[in-house]
Amino acid sequence: MSDQRRSPVQALFRRVIAINGLVFTAGTLVLALSPATVSPLVRLTEIPVLIVGLALILAANALLLRRSLAPLGALTALMRRVDLLRPTDRLADSGNGDLADVVRTFNAMLDRLEAERTAASAHALAAQEGERQRIARELHDEIGQSLTVVLLGLKRTADRAPDDLRDELRTIQETVRSSLDEVRQVARRLRPGVLEDLGLISALNALAADFPGVPVTRRLDARLPPLGGEAELVLYRIAQEGLTNVARHAGASRVELSLVRRPGGVLLSIVDDGRGGPIRESAGIIGMRERALLIGARLTIEHPPEGGTAVRLAVPVGEGD
């Protein structure tokens, strides 16, 4: 079809042919119009002229081709570092003729892939949150109530039991009460009702208060800009996952949880003084990266020089938010 656009391969082929033709034509004109001449049998004194002319032609050809094909090197480097779980820079459109079309097509492909990945992650995480809420309700309403009934029955039985059985029944009663507390804690972790009822700061305070073993230093700014329900849930879940990773893997003696306002948004930080070490892209970390992408936030996980691990989530907030 006459109106069909040239393919990038055909365009690149024609560009190389045009550059070579231009260089060799220019070299021919220079040799034809210059006072330099070559005898039918080349003399020794004319060999340097031919070598210099050939060198100039090759150098000009190499320079023009290198400048023309330079975007291919940048494009290859970008392909190597593309990661759909991390924001990826786009290659600048240099306006370099036919290769600019390749660059624009690759950038459009990245936009489409990241949009599809974000949509798929949003769907999966929404389903995950729904399943968490369902399990939390079942734990609270069914298992929690069943354990409460057992606990009350044990109390009545212990009150009427002989002295030699009463101590044993009270021990069982305490075990059931401890199990009931654990069920309630699991339900709270699965469904942060305090986040819906009292807000993000109260939810983070409760999360830090329940952190086992290690005291958590809190620096939570109460003067946060409006974030929206989705951003607050992402901040809470990433703080929860970060503290869980510290409890499981870090062996830390100190943890700091901070959420502060900064120009253009808010910054969440979970910093510990534990073992640190190489970052393994576990399911938890991948989940944090997917959540960050949902709200356009930037997640970084680093090991400071003084040791430990620092997890930071920068959440942008528009002027109108």
Side-chain angles (χ1 to χ4, degrees), residues 118 230-232 234-235 290-297 313-316:
T118 300
E230 186 177 35
E232 288 188 351
V234 168
L235 284 163
E290 289 178 340
R291 290 184 183 276
L293 286 177
L294 289 181
I295 58 173
L313 180 72
V315 180

